[in-house]
Amino acid sequence: MDLGLKNKVVMISGASKGIGKAIAGVFANEGANLSICARDEDLLIKAACELQEDMGITVLPVVADLTQLNDVKKFVSATVDKFGLVDILVNNAGSAPAGEFLKIKDEEWSDAWTLKFLGYVRLSREVFPHMRSRKYGCIINIIGNAGKQPMKNYMAGGHINAALLNFTKMLAHEGEQHGIRVNGISPGPTKTERWDDLVLKMSEASGKDPVEWEKEFLMTFPLRRLAEPEEVGNLAAFLASDKACYVHGTVVTIDGGLTKCI
Ligand SMILES: NC(=O)c1ccc[n+]([C@@H]2O[C@H](COP(=O)([O-])OP(=O)(O)OC[C@H]3O[C@@H](n4cnc5c(N)ncnc54)[C@H](OP(=O)(O)O)[C@@H]3O)[C@@H](O)[C@H]2O)c1
């Protein structure tokens, strides 16, 4: 299916690896131009080169730490300077500590909040006026199903995701007068480097060997496997396309049937 994303300008935060990079890959295949950010410059440039290769698209890599308001502003202004507009924003850069409740320090709670919750709020706020002036835009928040279905030893991640479910709804309401469509995606556990870190922390908190812990954990999954990052990317590209123009203010779960609540 041609999603009609050719030449669209797509900003993706945290796209040097993991889900963000996979999302960028799907948009690149559709012929969209990309603006991507992360903190590690070498990894970001490498990702930009790989994405640009053979696709005939333009990829702008912007080194930015999205816990810093100035860097959020820099990411948006560099994109607008380069491309003149922003069609699509994918808020993705985030991380939250896993582990035993009693061992998570105040700074870990607040760092996770500053990056994932405030980072999404700030980036949306900076991009909004550009979309509003053209009466066109789409924002997708990558959230996480622990927001709806709390997960043992992942308390800090769950509370941010719960807040982002609420934020996504209200941002959609803000956007509807101005042609800005807003949706979220809530992936279940997905095969990225971050997942490997989470396995270490959660197995430690349960007093189990990481390999054994993950094996047992996956046995509780209907499909007995993690999501692949590209599967999240495919959903993001569809939701961002005009094929999904009536999908607004909702959060789509992609977890292989893991979440059972209605
Ligand atoms: N993996 C899962 O199981 C899973 C499940 C549900 C939801 N999610 C959500 O999906 C999103 C991506 O997760 P992932 O597993 O792909 O993570 P990942 O593999 O750790 O990748 C995170 C990306 O964000 C960037 N990043 C981290 N901190 C940043 C900061 N302060 N400023 C700018 N960029 C930053 C990283 O690059 P640098 O480190 O170089 O900055 C990297 O490009 C997150 O919001 C996560 O909560 C993941």
Side-chain angles (χ1 to χ4, degrees):
M1 192 195 302
D2 176 9
L3 293 176
L5 292 167
K6 196 168 165 48
N7 297 326
K8 294 281 186 205
V9 175
V10 186
M11 291 179 71
I12 305 163
S13 70
S16 62
K17 58 185 174 186
I19 293 174
K21 188 178 176 195
I23 293 173
V26 176
F27 278 107
N29 271 318
E30 293 289 326
N33 294 315
L34 307 176
S35 174
I36 60 174
C37 83
R39 293 164 304 174
D40 181 325
E41 184 168 17
D42 291 346
L43 215 56
L44 183 69
I45 304 286
K46 187 168 170 277
C49 293
E50 285 170 18
L51 288 162
Q52 202 155 273
E53 222 169 75
D54 300 333
M55 296 294 177
I57 60 161
T58 304
V59 183
L60 174 70
V62 182
V63 177
D65 177 351
L66 296 183
T67 62
Q68 307 300 312
L69 180 58
N70 283 344
D71 279 18
V72 172
K73 288 176 185 276
K74 179 177 84 173
F75 183 31
V76 176
S77 60
T79 307
V80 174
D81 287 352
K82 175 82 181 173
F83 298 107
L85 53 92
V86 180
D87 290 302
I88 296 158
L89 165 67
V90 182
N91 278 309
N92 166 79
S95 80
E100 271 179 73
F101 170 56
L102 295 184
K103 291 190 179 160
I104 301 174
K105 301 188 184 83
D106 283 4
E107 309 86 79
E108 293 178 283
W109 283 91
S110 57
D111 288 354
W113 184 260
T114 307
L115 173 60
K116 190 156 174 177
F117 184 76
L118 206 50
Y120 284 26
V121 170
R122 286 167 161 171
L123 204 42
S124 303
R125 196 176 58 203
E126 291 302 313
V127 158
F128 227 69
H130 296 287
M131 293 181 167
R132 206 164 57 177
S133 66
R134 295 173 55 231
K135 285 210 157 293
Y136 184 87
C138 175
I139 297 177
I140 295 180
N141 294 327
I142 304 301
I143 306 177
N145 71 347
K148 214 161 66 172
Q149 180 150 309
M151 193 170 153
K152 189 169 161 55
N153 295 321
Y154 192 55
M155 205 190 267
H159 91 288
I160 295 168
N161 289 336
L164 283 172
L165 294 174
N166 195 296
F167 171 65
T168 300
K169 280 272 174 212
M170 279 319 293
L171 192 64
H173 180 62
E174 290 290 326
E176 61 206 20
Q177 309 298 321
H178 307 288
I180 304 174
R181 227 163 30 85
V182 182
N183 290 293
I185 294 178
S186 265
T190 306
K191 208 167 183 318
T192 67
E193 272 178 40
R194 190 176 133 60
W195 174 250
D196 296 338
D197 292 343
L198 291 176
V199 167
L200 287 179
K201 297 271 169 41
M202 289 195 275
S203 57
E204 188 188 306
S206 313
K208 291 193 175 155
D209 169 72
V211 177
E212 277 307 304
W213 181 89
E214 191 178 19
K215 211 166 132 194
E216 276 175 30
F217 186 63
L218 288 180
M219 287 309 286
T220 66
F221 283 41
L223 302 186
R224 303 282 191 273
R225 68 166 177 89
L226 301 170
E228 293 293 333
E230 293 71 23
E231 292 169 330
V232 181
N234 290 336
L235 178 57
F238 172 71
L239 283 180
S241 76
D242 290 344
K243 305 276 183 212
C245 58
Y246 202 62
V247 184
H248 178 53
T250 199
V251 177
V252 181
T253 299
I254 172 167
D255 68 352
L258 186 64
T259 308
K260 290 290 184 279
C261 61
I262 293 166

